[in-house]
Amino acid sequence: MSLKASCGSQRRSLCSLLAGREIKKPKLEDGQRLQEAAVQLLDQHQNLCSLFQEQENPDPCHMFGSQNQAASESNPRHVSGQLLGRELRRQADRQGISVGAVSVKTMLDRLKEITGRQEEDRQREMFTSSQRVQLQVLLESSKQLLSQGVLCPKLLWVEYRRDQKLPNLELVYFLHLYNILTLDYIVESDEGIGSWLPGQLKALCCWTPPQEEEETKQVQQKVLSTTVGVLVAAERKISVLDELLLWLLDIEEERGEGAERWIQTLDASLCGASVSPEALQRFFTHCLTQIFTCNPRLTVSDAVTLQNEWTIAKASRCLTSLYCKLTVIFSVEQLLHHLQQVLETHEVNWKHVLVFVSTLLVYDQLAQSSLRELLSRLLSSAFEGYDLEKLITAFLLARQGALEGAGVFPSYSHWFKMSFGGRSGFHAGSKKSLVFLLKFLSDLVPFEPPQYLKVHILHPPYVPPKHRSLLMEYVTLAKTRLADLKESVEDMGLYEEVSAAGASVQSQAAHDVEKAVCLFESTGKISATVMEASIFRRPYFLTRFLPALLKPRALPLKPDAQMNFIEALKKAEKIPVAQFSQYVESCQKRRQQNESAERLDPREDPLDVLKVQLQEFTELLSGGHDGETSAQLSRISHSLSVIFPGSPDEPIRAVAVTLNTDTPPLPDLHLKVVNLILQNFCQSLLITSRGSPPNKQSLWGSRFVCLLLDNRQLLSSLIHRLWNLFHHQAASLSSAHILGLAAFMVHLQASSAVSPLVQLAPPGRPQPVPLVEALSSAVLSSTRTNMLFSVRLAVAAVCYGLCRGDSVSPLQQLQQDFIPCSLYKKLLYLIPRLFPAARRRPDGQQEDSPTLRWSCIAHDGTNWTKTVMHLWRHAAFQQLQQLHQYQLCLSEWLHDELRVQRNEDVLSDTQRQEYQQWACWELYLPRPEEQGGCGGDSRKLCAHLLTAILEQSPRDLNLENLDCSPGSSGTCLPDLLSRLQEVVYEAERSDRADLGNFLLQLVSQRCSSSSGSFSSKLGLQRTVLAWNRVLLALPAGIFFNIKTEGGRRSLDCSQLVEHINQHQRKVCPAATVLPCALTAHLLKGLLYAAGRCGHPAGELNQAWSQMSTTCPLLVVSAVRWWQQLSPVLVSLWTRLRDAEPLPEQLQLLSACRRWAHSLSPGPVVQMPPAAVLVRAASLHEAFRGGEEHQQNFRAVLDSLDPEREAEHQQVLVSLLFLYMKDFLSELLDPQNCWRCW
């Protein structure tokens, strides 16, 4: 306790005061006087909480030392402890309560002072160093009080738990450390430990002390390990640790520090400290069981399918670390025995089980033999009792081991052959066992990864000859499954490793070659596997194994093992003579290339080397040295592999190349290289074209392009550069560039068999497309500049392709291999558009040779317009249109036409109208359907036009304002709307009365194909709104049919009513009425159609009466907009019927409006005899807004007394429906519900 001398001296502790007297010789009377003085001092300043602090500060370095050493009589702590005890007893006597209660209260008050600052810092889970020192001083005093019998630990815990719902775990640990209140007692006595201890342990695990607090880290680990040790020893409270284990398994994928800290706590070092070896083994066994059986959601079929993803390399680091901690005190036999017991008695989590097997195999070298023994026991037991569960367990465990590689466990093919490949197999005892195995394998087929099916086919189980048919049934089933998966048995390696399931065919063949050469080197003989493959697996041997073995290389001067192996196969006549000769020649060339590369200065820049090599290549082309050009291309390929590093054996066609259309520019070096390549190709093309046409040239262009296709990284950069040139820089390309790039596209088309597919990103199409088609999509036709470039590029490409096709064969079937169909279709679209002379049908005089046209393009780029017309009349060009893939169908033409920007079109408005009318009426209407036309049916032409308009991008459709002028659009949409109007007008003149129904059916088909998803609903809304715009542009009368029965003409509105009820209703705005423009258009159509009947007014009245019950949406919309519609309809009816009054049903709309508005203060008009819905809608419209209307609404309701007239009741029910509709609309869309009003 701190003391203050009356004379104002310095503050000194009791210990220091006592220490200052130690220089005197101790006497008995001195001690007595000292005690009396201390008691008097306590009487003057009784602060027990401060007295608890008057212990000598402990040494933090010895916090975890022994606390049981006896205090000597001369120790100041002992003296102050006695003083504190006497004072507590004196306070207890004065207050008349037990000394234990006083000591507990005083201690708890002091604890609150110490922990108060920690409560302020909510994010901190442990004491600070200063708090920890103060806590130890308090606990030291409490320990001395406990030795004096003054402190009651049980009462301390009871009072502490009453104040603290969540005890501080560090405080509990220190109480245990100082033997004041042990964790064992707390665990056994506290019934609510399960409610607070797991949460405290989780929080402590997840909290990371600051970097500089090393002491706090040590305390944290000791708190966790001590608590876990006590809980493990008290096995009845093991459920607390179960909760922590489940928490760890839930967060295992996160790999956080909390999970790792808890795993470090579960250490075998717990044994011997507070836990017996037997208890620790029982606890770890229990943990393994909990892990194996946690969340057993995955079925056996899931395990078979997903097993490849559960190797130790792909498993969670936390899970494997946990297994290592839990298995260290067991032998492999004990662990596998326990695993087998769990598998036989519980539903298990197969992922956890199989990862455990992998961990055991990888971390323990003895596990392989033990697992093989377990598999043997499982198979024996499975076939003895025909136990399916044991059989599938054995297969899963064997496959799991094989997935970890041959260094850990034998391959699956080896295990399967050893288990079932011979007469001594587990299944060979009887036909029943054989059927059991084959039935099991057949049941696995739908879930099996392809590599296992290949093993079963290539290494089938032993089957006696008389039961061969049973095996063939399985083989047929497995091959069918492989065909569905687009997998080939022939692609399987000779030495198949199932663990390399995702390996490419090339890597498998390279692995087979390596192992075959290794076996040959060790035995001096060709392995039996290779000899069998040369006979029974000849396709794989010839197309995979031999190319990998005979890969060109610089042969060493002294034959190596691979050369000796090749020579042995040659002597055995296993290598075709031509293939061997080509191999020798390629190796010689490779040696020459290496010597040439060695002569190059290694300090030279690869880009400079490539420039020199490309220049030399051009010079060799001009000199006509064909053989030297091939060698130079090999040198260029080597230089490119330095700049674009990548494996030459990389399977180019395995995965599509991604073309990022909005990607940032290429790296500077890659851009320079690609520009250099394209520039050299264009230059080489011009040089070779001066001497001879394309059909007389060598194959240099094809070889050049194939060289580029062999390097995936280079190909990706090349594709991106070409896209950028075509899409963004087309106007800056010169004639030479256009010719060269056109020829380049032709060679890409000719190499399409070995070219990868291209996936556009962002995806313009859902599936990858051929390379040339992807690049052609960058060639636009939307503006004048784009159209001119597209024509020049496509003309050059088609001319060059026709010439190259003639050089191969005069047959037309081979010419198409050189002509990109996408560029050909651009000519079919653009030439008639740009050249009106091309719209006339050919007169029969067609040119035959494209050579002259190519020479004009190559030598005079300014005269390309004449070349266009010559090409258009060329016989080969026209004949290509007979092939389906070269036909430009009407839907494609409409797609291109809709993307033309009207303000930048090469045609004027009048010229565009003439061109579109020619295309619709003269080109596609009479063309047969199989050639992309309409077959003379105007309805199909109408359907194509409508479909194209509805598929137009929403931003090109002004859907918000349906009655706006169509001329505001930037595309050709207004022009195509005009063409649709022309087709509809023509159909009307030809008395096609069903055209309106036909259009409504088309729209219904598009709307009915939508599902219930949000995107589908949004698409439905766009479709209907786009259709409404089209509907406004068409004659309204075509949607009302005129039926003739018994000489009487009547109206039929059923199709229109069905369309409104099914589709228009779903896209109504919040006010749930049709737009004013659409309502007016439909009502005008009704008047037009009624005017064509014998009794117009009567037919209109009858039709409108039917609509009151069959089409309430149109009726309510008419009432809503009647104030705006009435003058228009009256004027129209007057013009149609020579001043005849409006039909009765329409007059009732006006009468109902007057009646509804008369119900407000003023003279009341008699209720008109209109339909109930019309009267209710009129009331709803009259009282829909404004406070003055709301005030009169109650009086209106009272005037419509439902008890007097039933008709009033019907009106009120309909009015209630309309207001309920408004109420629901406001709930769903409060901001926009009245906007449409």
Side-chain angles (χ1 to χ4, degrees), residues 287-325:
C287 288
L288 289 173
T289 304
Q290 291 293 101
I291 297 172
F292 294 157
T293 59
C294 173
N295 296 329
R297 298 187 300 268
L298 297 173
T299 62
V300 171
S301 59
D302 296 328
V304 172
T305 304
L306 302 174
Q307 191 171 7
N308 289 340
E309 302 298 323
W310 297 340
T311 60
I312 196 168
K314 300 178 181 179
S316 165
R317 183 76 60 85
C318 290
L319 185 60
T320 55
S321 300
L322 179 61
Y323 280 144
C324 292
K325 288 288 185 181

Side-chain angles (χ1 to χ4, degrees), residues 37 73 133 135 244 284 311 365 392-393 467 501 540 561 674 726 736 797 904 995 1021 1029 1086 1095 1150:
E73 293 293 331
V133 170
L135 178 63
L244 267 294
F284 280 4
T311 60
Q365 297 179 354
I392 186 59
T393 300
H467 302 314
Y540 178 83
V674 172
F726 291 156
E904 299 184 45
L995 183 60
Q1021 183 180 15
R1029 170 173 181 165
L1086 178 62
H1095 301 281
S1150 299

Side-chain angles (χ1 to χ4, degrees), residues 457 469-482:
I457 294 174
S469 60
L470 299 176
L471 176 63
M472 296 311 298
E473 291 179 4
Y474 169 75
V475 171
T476 302
L477 180 63
K479 287 185 175 180
T480 303
R481 175 61 177 165
L482 286 175

Side-chain angles (χ1 to χ4, degrees), residues 544-712:
R544 304 295 187 192
F545 183 80
L546 286 183
L549 176 65
L550 302 178
K551 187 169 60 175
R553 63 186 181 118
L555 299 177
L557 298 177
K558 182 180 179 180
D560 57 4
Q562 184 172 345
M563 293 177 64
N564 293 331
F565 179 62
I566 293 173
E567 186 63 27
L569 286 176
K570 180 175 177 293
K571 290 180 180 179
E573 299 182 350
K574 298 300 181 182
I575 303 178
V577 177
Q579 192 172 4
F580 183 79
S581 301
Q582 185 178 5
Y583 165 71
V584 174
E585 181 181 355
S586 300
C587 289
Q588 293 174 352
K589 291 183 179 180
R590 182 61 61 88
R591 177 184 289 277
Q592 295 173 0
Q593 294 172 16
N594 291 346
E595 292 174 354
S596 175
E598 290 174 0
R599 289 194 295 268
L600 292 175
D601 187 353
R603 294 173 296 179
E604 291 185 6
D605 184 9
L607 184 59
D608 295 334
V609 174
L610 181 62
K611 289 180 180 178
V612 174
Q613 291 174 342
L614 289 173
Q615 184 62 34
E616 292 176 354
F617 174 75
T618 305
E619 295 173 358
L620 291 173
L621 274 180
S622 61
H625 304 288
D626 187 40
E628 292 296 329
T629 56
S630 299
Q632 186 67 13
L633 284 176
S634 299
R635 301 184 188 100
I636 294 172
S637 176
H638 173 73
S639 299
L640 290 174
S641 65
V642 175
I643 302 174
F644 297 91
S647 173
D649 297 326
E650 186 179 6
I652 294 294
R653 302 182 65 202
V655 182
V657 177
T658 301
L659 174 57
N660 295 306
T661 57
D662 53 358
T663 187
L666 295 173
D668 187 57
L669 176 61
H670 292 182
L671 181 61
K672 290 180 179 179
V673 172
V674 172
N675 286 341
L676 188 62
I677 291 172
L678 294 177
Q679 181 181 357
N680 181 264
F681 185 89
C682 295
Q683 184 181 0
S684 300
L685 179 73
L686 291 178
I687 291 174
T688 54
S689 297
R690 291 176 188 148
S692 56
N695 57 340
K696 303 296 182 181
Q697 297 176 14
S698 64
L699 300 178
W700 71 270
S702 300
R703 296 170 185 165
F704 193 100
V705 171
C706 289
L707 175 151
L708 304 177
L709 294 175
D710 287 339
N711 191 313
R712 189 182 187 87

